[in-house]
Amino acid sequence: MEIKTFGVVGAGQMGNGIAQVAAMSGLNVIMNDIKEEFVQRGLANITKLLGKSVEKGKMDAAEKDAVIARIRTSVSLKDMADADFVVEAATENETLKFNIFKELDDVCKPHVILSSNTSSIPIGRIAAQTRRPDKVIGMHFMNPVPVMRLVEVIRGLATSEETFKTTWDLSVKFGKTPAEANDFPGFIANRILLPMINEAVYCLYHHVGTPEAIDTVMKLGMNHPMGPLALADLIGLDTCLAIMETLYNGFKDSKYRPCPLLRKYVEAGWLGRKTGRGFYVYE
């Protein structure tokens, strides 16, 4: 099946990044969210990033305009009836994702693959909400999407080989390097990354070091480009907590227990960069 129109559900940080790379690959894109202000904010972010590429000489103004022209905004999931492939990039909330997939299953043509950008929720659980579990797969992009090369492609128990190959090839078309993961909570990336971030939060909680000291040790001692607490702020502390809870509930292993300080920050609304305060304060 030829994919000409690519649907993205969610126009936030991840969703608009996915929409951008899809449009840059030559596909027509439907970028959907629940409010017009959300999709316009997402489109403005894409326009801003493409403008920077023009300033740096990575593309010309005509190319930028052509990419933007391929993106159609939407505030109704019914518009996904026109899509040949859909990726869901909504908030990391199981109930929300289940409801989106139930509606997409009703709206989209029977042959359309439904993928999720979930960071941790098992694909099999999502697929079970549909009548097409063989056409449901994980397509986990990294943040920021236009820059990061990895796409984690996650097979559910029922995911067909055709669905997997189509998703793999689409990742390559987007200029990404796909990596295959099987369906366990957190998959590969976040099963490794989030416990490290959680342990960094425990170091802060136990007064082992300041945020600056913890991040400096990991940057200079382990050659990480960004410290774990700064990275948590970038990801969003609510998302970090949601992933840790998925790992803890999925494995019933105490090593995945979310740090109480992480929960405390989320409850206070200190979610990181997007709210102006997390482990660090942002302007």
Side-chain angles (χ1 to χ4, degrees), residues 33 110 191 207 211 221 230 238:
D33 214 312
R191 186 169 173 179
H207 305 289
D238 52 340

Side-chain angles (χ1 to χ4, degrees), residues 40-74:
Q40 291 306 320
R41 190 184 304 156
L43 190 60
N45 191 60
I46 293 169
T47 303
K48 178 182 175 182
L49 290 176
L50 292 176
K52 288 182 178 179
S53 293
V54 172
E55 290 172 8
K56 294 176 181 177
K58 294 181 179 179
M59 65 166 55
D60 59 37
E63 287 177 293
K64 170 196 162 186
D65 292 342
V67 171
I68 294 170
R70 285 195 285 271
I71 302 173
R72 164 186 159 198
T73 60
S74 157

